[in-house]
Amino acid sequence: IRPTSHDTETEEDFEEGDYFDDEYGSEDGTPIAAKLYQNYPNPFNPTTTVSFRLETSSLVTLKVYNVLGQEVATLLNGEQMDEGYQTVQFNPAGMSSGVYFYRIDVQDQDGQFARTLATKKMLLIK
């Protein structure tokens, strides 16, 4: 598991509505601390990439859960990360095929944005 920071972002890295997405942000369109993207490839075997974008330097926790809600992997645990587009590689060695959920918890250090929680589904096929 290795987080990767991308200092040079291209236009393709941005999606319309980043940081102002109703799915993750508030109804009034105020900025959010982070946006979580769908992992790729999905379904996957043996590894997948989880990506997210941070509005500001933040503390990030990224965990994987099974369908019963049990934590099965911790990819990031309260790690300080710079703003911008980030990726984390996930290799689920020893895990069985099935549906899993990954959840990001972002806490902005300056206190300007609310805490961001987002969850997405991934499928491991062996």
Side-chain angles (χ1 to χ4, degrees):
I1 303 169
R2 260 186 35 187
T4 306
S5 176
H6 298 277
D7 294 332
T8 57
E9 296 174 318
T10 63
E11 193 171 324
E12 299 87 54
D13 291 331
F14 294 94
E15 290 185 7
E16 183 146 345
D18 275 357
Y19 308 120
F20 296 91
D21 191 335
D22 286 338
E23 182 180 354
Y24 300 103
S26 66
E27 289 181 14
D28 64 0
T30 54
I32 56 175
K35 181 166 184 176
L36 181 64
Y37 297 102
Q38 187 62 50
N39 66 300
Y40 61 90
N42 190 34
F44 68 99
N45 181 16
T47 64
T48 191
T49 301
V50 175
S51 56
F52 54 94
R53 181 180 309 287
L54 300 175
E55 173 70 8
T56 63
S57 178
S58 304
L59 296 175
V60 179
T61 299
L62 184 60
K63 295 184 177 188
V64 179
Y65 298 88
N66 63 19
V67 293
L68 299 176
Q70 299 165 323
E71 182 182 321
V72 295
T74 298
L75 308 180
L76 300 170
N77 192 14
E79 293 188 34
Q80 173 66 42
M81 301 197 77
D82 295 330
E83 67 180 85
Y85 186 80
Q86 310 286 339
T87 60
V88 177
Q89 297 296 314
F90 175 47
N91 183 347
M95 292 172 54
S96 60
S97 295
V99 174
Y100 293 90
F101 297 91
Y102 57 104
R103 181 179 186 205
I104 194 167
D105 181 347
V106 177
Q107 297 181 45
D108 180 23
Q109 287 196 306
D110 347 356
Q112 293 181 9
F113 299 106
R115 183 175 186 176
T116 298
L117 298 171
T119 303
K120 297 258 185 203
K121 181 171 65 171
M122 65 172 71
L123 179 60
L124 171 61
I125 297 178
K126 289 193 171 186

